[in-house]
Amino acid sequence: MGSISDPSKLKPNPRLSLFSTLPPIPADEPFSVNGAYLSDTHPQKVNLGIGVYRTSTGNPWPLNVVEEAESRIYDARNKDRHEYLSIQGDREFLNLASDLVFGFDSTTSPQIRDRVTSVQTVSGTGANRLGAELLSRHIRPKTVWIPNPTWANHHTIWDLAGVPEKSYPYYDAQKKKFNYIGTMESLSKAQKNDVVILHACAHNPTGADPTPTQWESIARLCAERGLIPFFDLAYQGFASGDAAQDAWAIRHFFGLELEFCVAQSFSKNFGLYGQRVGALHVVSFPSLDKNTAAGGVGGDILANLCHLVRGEYSMAPRGGAEIVRTVLGDAELRGRWYEDLGVMSTRIQDMRRALYGELVRLGTPGSWEHVLDQVCSALILRDIVS
Ligand SMILES: Cc1ncc(COP(=O)(O)O)c(C=O)c1O
């Protein structure tokens, strides 16, 4: 008797697959450039793909302080180290993560307690996605205003969240600067509850940020028009070497009692790219109604975020968050993290100075001062290559 599952008896199925109507999806640019880089055998190849820190020998750099935290975690071998986290995530990690953004101790500051709801996410991308989902389902913005250019994934994230997008002209390619006037003109057409994507520091891909005075005007405009700022914070401390300075704009917006979101990533500033460590912080007005109050257990914002997380992936992974908690929760390790941040940001600035010097030495046509003015960013390299 032949078995039904005998593969030799299976006939090719002439029916069209259910999936034959799936739309073609263009390859993700940074990841395909990275793939091309890896398969290229040229000895002088340069990687202009994914934004990751590399040493002078072109290798990844596990931060010294991260290695120290990993060995402490390993030595402690806590019995609960493989347990589920809560849906919200590791609360101690979240308090430290929000302290890093907002600049004061969230365990003691009533202001933070009243106004900030934090949930652990699958890194910065997950935080952007979760925030987009919350706003799209419950606030229903008519438009999300996305800077042109931007990190390409913003388009995908908001498209998947079903919110129509408009762009604002962020970059003046001629002057190689942030386009303040164009940005203000566009955003003054935005409607109440529209979302505005803002890069908190080290704008990707241009490396051009607003000045503090320009940030103040953007914040005022958002407050006057009832817009919802959405900060993408992927490079805190990586840009200037100073974590507080890189969070300046967010802290300013907090002071104005705006309601907004912050998508925080620890990929770059801790070198924990593959660990997927991040947090979404939702800043709301202080509320008299305890149920809509933000951070407290039982708050509606937290409950809704947890509902979305539960239906998506239950909770964020624990390993990387444990490393960040170990570092930020220990004064000595935190000091050593600031040193490691200094190593990375100084090297990036040194590379920019060296590149500028070489371009000038070779008499390369054009002006290259923006190479010195801008932070992080691969756009200058693309300028040169193209
Ligand atoms: C502007 C911006 N936002 C968010 C991210 C997300 O990174 P991750 O998901 O690794 O935290 C990146 C990474 O390159 C980025 O450049």
Side-chain angles (χ1 to χ4, degrees):
M1 226 173 36
S3 148
I4 291 175
S5 58
D6 181 349
S8 66
K9 301 269 186 309
L10 285 177
K11 295 208 177 92
N13 188 342
R15 286 186 306 163
L16 266 185
S17 161
L18 277 178
F19 305 106
S20 60
T21 55
L22 291 186
I25 300 287
D28 184 274
E29 197 191 357
F31 278 86
S32 38
V33 171
N34 198 52
Y37 170 83
L38 291 175
S39 54
D40 192 338
T41 52
H42 196 287
Q44 287 176 307
K45 62 185 179 178
V46 175
N47 191 349
L48 301 185
I50 313 168
V52 289
Y53 180 83
R54 289 290 181 258
T55 62
S56 55
T57 52
N59 290 312
W61 186 53
L63 272 59
N64 295 332
V65 75
V66 164
E67 295 204 314
E68 171 63 28
E70 281 175 315
S71 81
R72 287 192 193 184
I73 292 164
Y74 180 78
D75 290 345
R77 286 202 190 79
N78 287 329
K79 288 255 180 320
D80 63 357
R81 67 190 185 279
H82 300 308
E83 292 296 288
Y84 285 127
L85 285 175
S86 74
I87 300 170
Q88 183 183 8
D90 177 331
R91 296 217 179 90
E92 208 182 318
F93 157 78
L94 288 169
N95 283 338
L96 291 160
S98 83
D99 284 353
L100 191 64
V101 178
F102 298 100
F104 30 89
D105 180 5
S106 59
T107 54
T108 54
S109 163
Q111 235 193 330
I112 282 276
R113 280 260 188 88
D114 276 4
R115 293 195 58 204
V116 180
T117 306
S118 304
V119 170
Q120 194 182 319
T121 57
V122 182
S123 209
T125 305
N128 274 281
R129 181 78 184 94
L130 181 64
E133 202 58 33
L134 179 83
L135 297 177
S136 121
R137 278 171 187 267
H138 300 295
I139 314 297
R140 302 187 185 281
K142 288 208 179 59
T143 304
V144 55
W145 293 81
I146 297 187
N148 180 24
T150 194
W151 177 55
N153 217 6
H154 285 144
H155 301 294
T156 309
I157 286 168
W158 287 90
D159 177 40
L160 291 175
V163 180
E165 76 165 75
K166 285 188 182 154
S167 67
Y168 63 93
Y170 183 87
Y171 189 59
D172 183 331
Q174 225 124 58
K175 295 190 185 139
K176 301 200 179 342
K177 280 169 86 166
F178 166 57
N179 182 351
Y180 171 68
I181 306 229
T183 293
M184 294 299 277
E185 271 172 14
S186 284
L187 294 184
S188 52
K189 293 181 205 125
Q191 307 288 311
K192 188 172 163 42
N193 289 351
D194 279 359
V195 176
V196 183
I197 303 298
L198 299 164
H199 296 226
C201 63
H203 178 273
N204 178 3
T206 69
D209 290 332
T211 63
T213 317
Q214 291 170 340
W215 275 124
E216 283 167 7
S217 308
I218 297 168
R220 253 195 320 275
L221 182 74
C222 290
E224 280 161 17
R225 300 199 65 76
L227 312 181
I228 307 172
F230 195 120
F231 281 102
D232 191 344
L233 180 62
Y235 298 92
Q236 188 180 3
F238 202 75
S240 69
D242 177 345
Q245 186 179 320
D246 290 348
W248 188 91
I250 295 176
R251 294 179 192 179
H252 175 72
F253 277 58
F254 189 88
L256 290 190
E257 299 203 351
L258 277 154
E259 298 196 286
F260 61 96
C261 294
V262 180
Q264 181 182 25
S265 166
F266 290 96
S267 294
K268 324 277 171 175
N269 54 9
F270 271 77
L272 289 172
Y273 306 94
Q275 297 284 351
R276 315 310 290 141
V277 197
L280 174 70
H281 307 282
V282 179
V283 179
S284 57
F285 295 139
S287 174
L288 297 176
D289 172 0
K290 273 289 145 217
N291 274 345
T292 45
V297 175
D300 286 342
I301 301 174
L302 180 60
N304 276 279
L305 287 172
C306 287
H307 181 65
L308 293 172
V309 167
R310 179 73 173 137
E312 196 73 35
Y313 48 85
S314 266
M315 80 276 309
R318 94 182 276 149
E322 203 165 351
I323 295 171
V324 171
R325 164 163 55 74
T326 304
V327 172
L328 294 182
D330 179 290
E332 187 230 326
L333 291 188
R334 201 190 304 187
R336 285 167 60 183
W337 175 58
Y338 291 139
E339 285 168 21
D340 286 351
L341 272 181
V343 169
M344 293 191 288
S345 58
T346 307
R347 180 172 141 69
I348 293 169
Q349 284 155 14
D350 287 350
M351 289 300 98
R352 281 179 168 275
R353 269 193 291 276
L355 177 61
Y356 173 79
E358 193 59 7
L359 287 165
V360 171
R361 192 186 69 77
L362 292 169
T364 315
S367 83
W368 298 100
E369 276 66 36
H370 63 289
V371 173
L372 302 176
D373 299 339
Q374 298 170 353
V375 277
C376 297
S377 141
L379 193 68
I380 47 156
L381 288 174
R382 289 181 204 154
D383 282 352
I384 293 163
V385 171
S386 58

